[in-house]
mmCIF file of all heavy atoms in Angstrom:
data_model
loop_
_atom_site.group_PDB
_atom_site.id
_atom_site.type_symbol
_atom_site.label_atom_id
_atom_site.label_comp_id
_atom_site.label_asym_id
_atom_site.label_seq_id
_atom_site.Cartn_x
_atom_site.Cartn_y
_atom_site.Cartn_z
ATOM 1 N N VAL A 77 -1.437 1.512 7.649
ATOM 2 C CA VAL A 77 0.017 1.678 7.587
ATOM 3 C C VAL A 77 0.399 3.101 7.973
ATOM 4 O O VAL A 77 -0.169 4.072 7.454
ATOM 5 C CB VAL A 77 0.549 1.372 6.167
ATOM 6 C CG1 VAL A 77 2.071 1.482 6.151
ATOM 7 C CG2 VAL A 77 0.119 -0.020 5.718
ATOM 8 N N VAL A 78 1.335 3.223 8.895
ATOM 9 C CA VAL A 78 1.937 4.508 9.259
ATOM 10 C C VAL A 78 3.367 4.484 8.754
ATOM 11 O O VAL A 78 4.162 3.616 9.131
ATOM 12 C CB VAL A 78 1.915 4.725 10.784
ATOM 13 C CG1 VAL A 78 2.580 6.043 11.134
ATOM 14 C CG2 VAL A 78 0.488 4.680 11.319
ATOM 15 N N LEU A 79 3.710 5.420 7.871
ATOM 16 C CA LEU A 79 5.041 5.488 7.279
ATOM 17 C C LEU A 79 5.785 6.711 7.780
ATOM 18 O O LEU A 79 5.172 7.673 8.246
ATOM 19 C CB LEU A 79 4.930 5.522 5.757
ATOM 20 C CG LEU A 79 4.397 4.248 5.096
ATOM 21 C CD1 LEU A 79 4.144 4.486 3.615
ATOM 22 C CD2 LEU A 79 5.383 3.107 5.274
ATOM 23 N N PRO A 80 7.118 6.703 7.678
ATOM 24 C CA PRO A 80 7.893 7.867 8.098
ATOM 25 C C PRO A 80 7.496 9.114 7.326
ATOM 26 O O PRO A 80 6.816 9.063 6.305
ATOM 27 C CB PRO A 80 9.335 7.461 7.793
ATOM 28 C CG PRO A 80 9.318 5.975 7.804
ATOM 29 C CD PRO A 80 7.976 5.588 7.268
ATOM 30 N N GLY A 81 7.948 10.252 7.844
ATOM 31 C CA GLY A 81 7.582 11.539 7.252
ATOM 32 C C GLY A 81 7.981 11.639 5.787
ATOM 33 O O GLY A 81 8.887 10.965 5.305
ATOM 34 N N GLY A 82 7.267 12.483 5.055
ATOM 35 C CA GLY A 82 7.517 12.629 3.633
ATOM 36 C C GLY A 82 6.604 11.732 2.830
ATOM 37 O O GLY A 82 5.906 10.876 3.359
ATOM 38 N N ASP A 83 6.616 11.918 1.542
ATOM 39 C CA ASP A 83 5.753 11.148 0.664
ATOM 40 C C ASP A 83 6.443 9.843 0.307
ATOM 41 O O ASP A 83 7.455 9.822 -0.396
ATOM 42 C CB ASP A 83 5.460 11.956 -0.602
ATOM 43 C CG ASP A 83 4.273 11.408 -1.383
ATOM 44 O OD1 ASP A 83 4.013 10.197 -1.260
ATOM 45 O OD2 ASP A 83 3.613 12.194 -2.075
ATOM 46 N N ALA A 84 5.913 8.730 0.773
ATOM 47 C CA ALA A 84 6.547 7.442 0.531
ATOM 48 C C ALA A 84 6.233 6.884 -0.841
ATOM 49 O O ALA A 84 6.820 5.907 -1.257
ATOM 50 C CB ALA A 84 6.112 6.447 1.603
ATOM 51 N N GLY A 85 5.288 7.478 -1.537
ATOM 52 C CA GLY A 85 4.906 6.979 -2.844
ATOM 53 C C GLY A 85 3.590 6.232 -2.782
ATOM 54 O O GLY A 85 2.945 6.137 -1.756
ATOM 55 N N LEU A 86 3.197 5.690 -3.920
ATOM 56 C CA LEU A 86 1.923 4.989 -4.033
ATOM 57 C C LEU A 86 2.091 3.519 -3.700
ATOM 58 O O LEU A 86 3.077 2.889 -4.086
ATOM 59 C CB LEU A 86 1.372 5.137 -5.446
ATOM 60 C CG LEU A 86 0.926 6.545 -5.842
ATOM 61 C CD1 LEU A 86 0.581 6.593 -7.317
ATOM 62 C CD2 LEU A 86 -0.277 6.968 -4.998
ATOM 63 N N PRO A 87 1.113 2.933 -3.008
ATOM 64 C CA PRO A 87 1.239 1.520 -2.655
ATOM 65 C C PRO A 87 0.949 0.606 -3.835
ATOM 66 O O PRO A 87 0.046 0.867 -4.634
ATOM 67 C CB PRO A 87 0.179 1.356 -1.558
ATOM 68 C CG PRO A 87 -0.851 2.387 -1.875
ATOM 69 C CD PRO A 87 -0.097 3.554 -2.450
ATOM 70 N N HIS A 88 1.703 -0.441 -3.927
ATOM 71 C CA HIS A 88 1.501 -1.498 -4.906
ATOM 72 C C HIS A 88 1.393 -2.828 -4.140
ATOM 73 O O HIS A 88 2.068 -3.013 -3.130
ATOM 74 C CB HIS A 88 2.649 -1.602 -5.900
ATOM 75 C CG HIS A 88 2.720 -0.447 -6.863
ATOM 76 N ND1 HIS A 88 2.803 0.863 -6.460
ATOM 77 C CD2 HIS A 88 2.736 -0.430 -8.231
ATOM 78 C CE1 HIS A 88 2.865 1.651 -7.525
ATOM 79 N NE2 HIS A 88 2.822 0.894 -8.607
ATOM 80 N N VAL A 89 0.575 -3.729 -4.611
ATOM 81 C CA VAL A 89 0.494 -5.070 -4.040
ATOM 82 C C VAL A 89 0.919 -6.061 -5.117
ATOM 83 O O VAL A 89 0.324 -6.099 -6.200
ATOM 84 C CB VAL A 89 -0.923 -5.391 -3.525
ATOM 85 C CG1 VAL A 89 -1.048 -6.855 -3.147
ATOM 86 C CG2 VAL A 89 -1.268 -4.510 -2.344
ATOM 87 N N ASP A 90 1.966 -6.789 -4.809
ATOM 88 C CA ASP A 90 2.559 -7.733 -5.771
ATOM 89 C C ASP A 90 2.866 -7.039 -7.095
ATOM 90 O O ASP A 90 2.667 -7.589 -8.190
ATOM 91 C CB ASP A 90 1.627 -8.928 -5.992
ATOM 92 C CG ASP A 90 1.440 -9.766 -4.733
ATOM 93 O OD1 ASP A 90 2.300 -9.676 -3.845
ATOM 94 O OD2 ASP A 90 0.437 -10.504 -4.647
ATOM 95 N N GLY A 91 3.335 -5.784 -6.994
ATOM 96 C CA GLY A 91 3.777 -5.043 -8.166
ATOM 97 C C GLY A 91 2.722 -4.267 -8.893
ATOM 98 O O GLY A 91 3.049 -3.512 -9.830
ATOM 99 N N ALA A 92 1.453 -4.388 -8.500
ATOM 100 C CA ALA A 92 0.372 -3.688 -9.208
ATOM 101 C C ALA A 92 -0.225 -2.611 -8.307
ATOM 102 O O ALA A 92 -0.397 -2.820 -7.107
ATOM 103 C CB ALA A 92 -0.710 -4.671 -9.621
ATOM 104 N N PRO A 93 -0.543 -1.429 -8.866
ATOM 105 C CA PRO A 93 -1.168 -0.377 -8.052
ATOM 106 C C PRO A 93 -2.505 -0.872 -7.473
ATOM 107 O O PRO A 93 -3.230 -1.647 -8.108
ATOM 108 C CB PRO A 93 -1.401 0.762 -9.045
ATOM 109 C CG PRO A 93 -0.499 0.477 -10.198
ATOM 110 C CD PRO A 93 -0.363 -1.011 -10.273
ATOM 111 N N VAL A 94 -2.823 -0.432 -6.257
ATOM 112 C CA VAL A 94 -4.043 -0.879 -5.588
ATOM 113 C C VAL A 94 -4.777 0.326 -4.997
ATOM 114 O O VAL A 94 -4.220 1.416 -4.833
ATOM 115 C CB VAL A 94 -3.738 -1.878 -4.462
ATOM 116 C CG1 VAL A 94 -3.199 -3.171 -5.011
ATOM 117 C CG2 VAL A 94 -2.779 -1.273 -3.442
ATOM 118 N N ASP A 95 -6.040 0.096 -4.675
ATOM 119 C CA ASP A 95 -6.822 1.117 -3.996
ATOM 120 C C ASP A 95 -6.222 1.400 -2.624
ATOM 121 O O ASP A 95 -5.782 0.479 -1.924
ATOM 122 C CB ASP A 95 -8.271 0.657 -3.815
ATOM 123 C CG ASP A 95 -9.013 0.529 -5.131
ATOM 124 O OD1 ASP A 95 -8.585 1.183 -6.103
ATOM 125 O OD2 ASP A 95 -10.002 -0.222 -5.186
ATOM 126 N N HIS A 96 -6.232 2.661 -2.254
ATOM 127 C CA HIS A 96 -5.801 3.022 -0.910
ATOM 128 C C HIS A 96 -6.539 4.287 -0.474
ATOM 129 O O HIS A 96 -7.080 5.021 -1.304
ATOM 130 C CB HIS A 96 -4.287 3.228 -0.838
ATOM 131 C CG HIS A 96 -3.784 4.426 -1.586
ATOM 132 N ND1 HIS A 96 -3.713 4.455 -2.969
ATOM 133 C CD2 HIS A 96 -3.348 5.634 -1.155
ATOM 134 C CE1 HIS A 96 -3.244 5.627 -3.361
ATOM 135 N NE2 HIS A 96 -3.021 6.363 -2.280
ATOM 136 N N ILE A 97 -6.569 4.508 0.815
ATOM 137 C CA ILE A 97 -7.250 5.661 1.392
ATOM 138 C C ILE A 97 -6.225 6.465 2.188
ATOM 139 O O ILE A 97 -5.606 5.926 3.120
ATOM 140 C CB ILE A 97 -8.415 5.220 2.297
ATOM 141 C CG1 ILE A 97 -9.416 4.366 1.522
ATOM 142 C CG2 ILE A 97 -9.102 6.430 2.913
ATOM 143 C CD1 ILE A 97 -10.471 3.721 2.407
ATOM 144 N N GLU A 98 -6.015 7.699 1.816
ATOM 145 C CA GLU A 98 -5.107 8.560 2.561
ATOM 146 C C GLU A 98 -5.753 8.984 3.874
ATOM 147 O O GLU A 98 -6.924 9.354 3.926
ATOM 148 C CB GLU A 98 -4.764 9.807 1.741
ATOM 149 C CG GLU A 98 -4.036 9.504 0.436
ATOM 150 C CD GLU A 98 -2.578 9.152 0.654
ATOM 151 O OE1 GLU A 98 -2.076 9.315 1.794
ATOM 152 O OE2 GLU A 98 -1.934 8.693 -0.313
ATOM 153 N N GLU A 99 -4.999 8.905 4.954
ATOM 154 C CA GLU A 99 -5.450 9.315 6.279
ATOM 155 C C GLU A 99 -4.439 10.292 6.866
ATOM 156 O O GLU A 99 -3.283 10.316 6.438
ATOM 157 C CB GLU A 99 -5.590 8.095 7.204
ATOM 158 C CG GLU A 99 -6.565 7.039 6.729
ATOM 159 C CD GLU A 99 -8.015 7.442 6.974
ATOM 160 O OE1 GLU A 99 -8.258 8.543 7.514
ATOM 161 O OE2 GLU A 99 -8.912 6.640 6.633
ATOM 162 N N PRO A 100 -4.844 11.113 7.842
ATOM 163 C CA PRO A 100 -3.872 12.037 8.464
ATOM 164 C C PRO A 100 -2.673 11.319 9.073
ATOM 165 O O PRO A 100 -1.576 11.882 9.129
ATOM 166 C CB PRO A 100 -4.716 12.734 9.549
ATOM 167 C CG PRO A 100 -6.122 12.625 9.078
ATOM 168 C CD PRO A 100 -6.207 11.305 8.367
ATOM 169 N N TRP A 101 -2.875 10.069 9.502
ATOM 170 C CA TRP A 101 -1.802 9.329 10.152
ATOM 171 C C TRP A 101 -1.048 8.433 9.180
ATOM 172 O O TRP A 101 -0.050 7.806 9.560
ATOM 173 C CB TRP A 101 -2.368 8.464 11.280
ATOM 174 C CG TRP A 101 -3.658 7.789 10.931
ATOM 175 C CD1 TRP A 101 -4.913 8.218 11.223
ATOM 176 C CD2 TRP A 101 -3.818 6.572 10.205
ATOM 177 N NE1 TRP A 101 -5.856 7.344 10.737
ATOM 178 C CE2 TRP A 101 -5.213 6.321 10.106
ATOM 179 C CE3 TRP A 101 -2.943 5.648 9.631
ATOM 180 C CZ2 TRP A 101 -5.734 5.201 9.455
ATOM 181 C CZ3 TRP A 101 -3.462 4.544 8.985
ATOM 182 C CH2 TRP A 101 -4.845 4.331 8.909
ATOM 183 N N GLY A 102 -1.526 8.271 7.946
ATOM 184 C CA GLY A 102 -0.875 7.370 7.003
ATOM 185 C C GLY A 102 -1.829 6.971 5.900
ATOM 186 O O GLY A 102 -2.432 7.812 5.237
ATOM 187 N N MET A 103 -2.045 5.682 5.711
ATOM 188 C CA MET A 103 -2.949 5.218 4.664
ATOM 189 C C MET A 103 -3.498 3.847 4.988
ATOM 190 O O MET A 103 -2.935 3.095 5.790
ATOM 191 C CB MET A 103 -2.222 5.188 3.310
ATOM 192 C CG MET A 103 -1.089 4.178 3.210
ATOM 193 S SD MET A 103 -0.340 4.132 1.554
ATOM 194 C CE MET A 103 0.328 5.790 1.414
ATOM 195 N N ARG A 104 -4.629 3.537 4.346
ATOM 196 C CA ARG A 104 -5.206 2.203 4.405
ATOM 197 C C ARG A 104 -5.048 1.586 3.025
ATOM 198 O O ARG A 104 -5.390 2.211 2.016
ATOM 199 C CB ARG A 104 -6.675 2.262 4.820
ATOM 200 C CG ARG A 104 -6.946 3.171 5.972
ATOM 201 C CD ARG A 104 -8.352 3.049 6.497
ATOM 202 N NE ARG A 104 -8.384 2.048 7.561
ATOM 203 C CZ ARG A 104 -9.450 1.793 8.318
ATOM 204 N NH1 ARG A 104 -10.580 2.420 8.072
ATOM 205 N NH2 ARG A 104 -9.397 0.906 9.274
ATOM 206 N N VAL A 105 -4.525 0.383 2.965
ATOM 207 C CA VAL A 105 -4.187 -0.267 1.697
ATOM 208 C C VAL A 105 -5.037 -1.522 1.523
ATOM 209 O O VAL A 105 -5.095 -2.376 2.428
ATOM 210 C CB VAL A 105 -2.689 -0.626 1.633
ATOM 211 C CG1 VAL A 105 -2.350 -1.282 0.301
ATOM 212 C CG2 VAL A 105 -1.831 0.607 1.862
ATOM 213 N N ARG A 106 -5.658 -1.654 0.365
ATOM 214 C CA ARG A 106 -6.508 -2.807 0.080
ATOM 215 C C ARG A 106 -5.659 -3.992 -0.364
ATOM 216 O O ARG A 106 -4.888 -3.904 -1.311
ATOM 217 C CB ARG A 106 -7.523 -2.468 -1.007
ATOM 218 C CG ARG A 106 -8.500 -3.578 -1.328
ATOM 219 C CD ARG A 106 -9.522 -3.131 -2.372
ATOM 220 N NE ARG A 106 -10.533 -4.152 -2.609
ATOM 221 C CZ ARG A 106 -10.410 -5.140 -3.477
ATOM 222 N NH1 ARG A 106 -9.298 -5.221 -4.218
ATOM 223 N NH2 ARG A 106 -11.367 -6.022 -3.631
ATOM 224 N N MET A 107 -5.831 -5.130 0.315
ATOM 225 C CA MET A 107 -5.067 -6.324 -0.014
ATOM 226 C C MET A 107 -5.813 -7.228 -0.993
ATOM 227 O O MET A 107 -5.200 -8.015 -1.707
ATOM 228 C CB MET A 107 -4.767 -7.128 1.260
ATOM 229 C CG MET A 107 -3.875 -6.403 2.247
ATOM 230 S SD MET A 107 -2.327 -5.871 1.484
ATOM 231 C CE MET A 107 -1.670 -7.409 0.894
ATOM 232 N N GLY A 108 -7.146 -7.177 -0.985
ATOM 233 C CA GLY A 108 -7.887 -8.147 -1.778
ATOM 234 C C GLY A 108 -7.908 -9.504 -1.081
ATOM 235 O O GLY A 108 -7.896 -9.590 0.136
ATOM 236 N N ALA A 109 -7.915 -10.559 -1.860
ATOM 237 C CA ALA A 109 -7.994 -11.915 -1.311
ATOM 238 C C ALA A 109 -6.594 -12.502 -1.125
ATOM 239 O O ALA A 109 -5.704 -12.297 -1.947
ATOM 240 C CB ALA A 109 -8.813 -12.809 -2.223
ATOM 241 N N ILE A 110 -6.424 -13.233 -0.025
ATOM 242 C CA ILE A 110 -5.186 -13.987 0.226
ATOM 243 C C ILE A 110 -5.579 -15.433 0.470
ATOM 244 O O ILE A 110 -6.377 -15.715 1.377
ATOM 245 C CB ILE A 110 -4.416 -13.429 1.438
ATOM 246 C CG1 ILE A 110 -4.100 -11.948 1.252
ATOM 247 C CG2 ILE A 110 -3.125 -14.221 1.648
ATOM 248 C CD1 ILE A 110 -3.379 -11.325 2.434
ATOM 249 N N PRO A 111 -5.075 -16.386 -0.312
ATOM 250 C CA PRO A 111 -5.442 -17.787 -0.093
ATOM 251 C C PRO A 111 -4.823 -18.339 1.172
ATOM 252 O O PRO A 111 -3.866 -17.770 1.722
ATOM 253 C CB PRO A 111 -4.882 -18.483 -1.344
ATOM 254 C CG PRO A 111 -3.736 -17.612 -1.771
ATOM 255 C CD PRO A 111 -4.141 -16.203 -1.435
ATOM 256 N N ALA A 112 -5.362 -19.439 1.655
ATOM 257 C CA ALA A 112 -4.843 -20.072 2.872
ATOM 258 C C ALA A 112 -3.354 -20.352 2.738
ATOM 259 O O ALA A 112 -2.905 -20.936 1.756
ATOM 260 C CB ALA A 112 -5.606 -21.368 3.140
ATOM 261 N N GLY A 113 -2.588 -19.908 3.728
ATOM 262 C CA GLY A 113 -1.151 -20.124 3.730
ATOM 263 C C GLY A 113 -0.375 -19.240 2.783
ATOM 264 O O GLY A 113 0.849 -19.344 2.705
ATOM 265 N N GLY A 114 -1.060 -18.330 2.065
ATOM 266 C CA GLY A 114 -0.388 -17.476 1.108
ATOM 267 C C GLY A 114 0.018 -16.138 1.699
ATOM 268 O O GLY A 114 -0.218 -15.832 2.866
ATOM 269 N N PHE A 115 0.645 -15.318 0.862
ATOM 270 C CA PHE A 115 1.040 -13.986 1.292
ATOM 271 C C PHE A 115 1.018 -13.048 0.096
ATOM 272 O O PHE A 115 1.063 -13.471 -1.065
ATOM 273 C CB PHE A 115 2.437 -13.996 1.940
ATOM 274 C CG PHE A 115 3.563 -14.311 0.993
ATOM 275 C CD1 PHE A 115 4.229 -13.297 0.304
ATOM 276 C CD2 PHE A 115 3.962 -15.627 0.783
ATOM 277 C CE1 PHE A 115 5.261 -13.582 -0.577
ATOM 278 C CE2 PHE A 115 4.996 -15.921 -0.091
ATOM 279 C CZ PHE A 115 5.644 -14.904 -0.767
ATOM 280 N N ARG A 116 0.960 -11.754 0.385
ATOM 281 C CA ARG A 116 1.073 -10.723 -0.641
ATOM 282 C C ARG A 116 1.993 -9.628 -0.093
ATOM 283 O O ARG A 116 2.145 -9.486 1.132
ATOM 284 C CB ARG A 116 -0.307 -10.150 -0.999
ATOM 285 C CG ARG A 116 -1.302 -11.216 -1.443
ATOM 286 C CD ARG A 116 -2.549 -10.635 -2.041
ATOM 287 N NE ARG A 116 -2.286 -10.117 -3.374
ATOM 288 C CZ ARG A 116 -3.204 -9.509 -4.122
ATOM 289 N NH1 ARG A 116 -4.423 -9.316 -3.661
ATOM 290 N NH2 ARG A 116 -2.910 -9.078 -5.334
ATOM 291 N N VAL A 117 2.604 -8.879 -0.992
ATOM 292 C CA VAL A 117 3.610 -7.892 -0.603
ATOM 293 C C VAL A 117 3.154 -6.500 -1.008
ATOM 294 O O VAL A 117 2.839 -6.242 -2.176
ATOM 295 C CB VAL A 117 4.973 -8.209 -1.257
ATOM 296 C CG1 VAL A 117 6.018 -7.168 -0.842
ATOM 297 C CG2 VAL A 117 5.438 -9.611 -0.877
ATOM 298 N N ILE A 118 3.131 -5.601 -0.034
ATOM 299 C CA ILE A 118 2.867 -4.179 -0.306
ATOM 300 C C ILE A 118 4.208 -3.475 -0.450
ATOM 301 O O ILE A 118 5.102 -3.633 0.393
ATOM 302 C CB ILE A 118 2.078 -3.500 0.828
ATOM 303 C CG1 ILE A 118 0.831 -4.291 1.189
ATOM 304 C CG2 ILE A 118 1.694 -2.084 0.437
ATOM 305 C CD1 ILE A 118 0.083 -3.718 2.389
ATOM 306 N N SER A 119 4.355 -2.694 -1.501
ATOM 307 C CA SER A 119 5.553 -1.863 -1.678
ATOM 308 C C SER A 119 5.118 -0.458 -2.029
ATOM 309 O O SER A 119 4.015 -0.230 -2.532
ATOM 310 C CB SER A 119 6.462 -2.433 -2.768
ATOM 311 O OG SER A 119 5.756 -2.564 -3.985
ATOM 312 N N TRP A 120 5.968 0.489 -1.713
ATOM 313 C CA TRP A 120 5.689 1.894 -2.008
ATOM 314 C C TRP A 120 6.688 2.365 -3.050
ATOM 315 O O TRP A 120 7.905 2.287 -2.849
ATOM 316 C CB TRP A 120 5.775 2.736 -0.737
ATOM 317 C CG TRP A 120 4.571 2.527 0.127
ATOM 318 C CD1 TRP A 120 3.452 3.297 0.169
ATOM 319 C CD2 TRP A 120 4.353 1.462 1.065
ATOM 320 N NE1 TRP A 120 2.552 2.793 1.061
ATOM 321 C CE2 TRP A 120 3.068 1.656 1.623
ATOM 322 C CE3 TRP A 120 5.095 0.361 1.464
ATOM 323 C CZ2 TRP A 120 2.532 0.799 2.579
ATOM 324 C CZ3 TRP A 120 4.561 -0.497 2.411
ATOM 325 C CH2 TRP A 120 3.289 -0.273 2.952
ATOM 326 N N VAL A 121 6.170 2.811 -4.191
ATOM 327 C CA VAL A 121 7.006 3.058 -5.363
ATOM 328 C C VAL A 121 6.967 4.536 -5.723
ATOM 329 O O VAL A 121 5.907 5.164 -5.767
ATOM 330 C CB VAL A 121 6.508 2.214 -6.559
ATOM 331 C CG1 VAL A 121 7.341 2.514 -7.793
ATOM 332 C CG2 VAL A 121 6.568 0.733 -6.217
ATOM 333 N N GLN A 122 8.151 5.096 -5.975
ATOM 334 C CA GLN A 122 8.277 6.463 -6.496
ATOM 335 C C GLN A 122 9.086 6.387 -7.783
ATOM 336 O O GLN A 122 9.842 5.442 -8.022
ATOM 337 C CB GLN A 122 8.995 7.363 -5.493
ATOM 338 C CG GLN A 122 8.186 7.638 -4.228
ATOM 339 C CD GLN A 122 8.965 8.546 -3.292
ATOM 340 O OE1 GLN A 122 10.193 8.516 -3.247
ATOM 341 N NE2 GLN A 122 8.240 9.365 -2.552
ATOM 342 N N ASP A 123 8.933 7.432 -8.618
ATOM 343 C CA ASP A 123 9.747 7.466 -9.835
ATOM 344 C C ASP A 123 11.149 7.954 -9.460
ATOM 345 O O ASP A 123 11.406 8.347 -8.339
ATOM 346 C CB ASP A 123 9.088 8.314 -10.907
ATOM 347 C CG ASP A 123 9.050 9.796 -10.558
ATOM 348 O OD1 ASP A 123 9.825 10.217 -9.670
ATOM 349 O OD2 ASP A 123 8.277 10.518 -11.188
ATOM 350 N N PRO A 124 12.112 7.908 -10.399
ATOM 351 C CA PRO A 124 13.489 8.263 -10.079
ATOM 352 C C PRO A 124 13.657 9.671 -9.530
ATOM 353 O O PRO A 124 14.625 9.952 -8.813
ATOM 354 C CB PRO A 124 14.233 8.088 -11.409
ATOM 355 C CG PRO A 124 13.399 7.109 -12.170
ATOM 356 C CD PRO A 124 11.989 7.382 -11.768
#
């Protein structure tokens, strides 16, 4: 994932924090398992 400039926050998958790897260009986010025909949602969360 390449996100716009600035700190976008920590990635969450389906609302739960997940493993990720920071890279100079962005980050790599672990999805885990996705069942056939299913989906999962990555969101980036910051505090107020």
Side-chain angles (χ1 to χ4, degrees):
V77 183
V78 178
L79 293 172
D83 196 334
L86 292 172
H88 290 56
V89 171
D90 296 339
V94 293
D95 293 337
H96 68 286
I97 302 171
E98 298 284 350
E99 300 283 0
W101 41 264
M103 65 177 63
R104 315 189 91 173
V105 181
R106 183 177 184 273
M107 296 305 302
I110 303 178
F115 67 90
R116 304 191 74 182
V117 180
I118 309 175
S119 56
W120 284 264
V121 178
Q122 292 181 328
D123 68 18

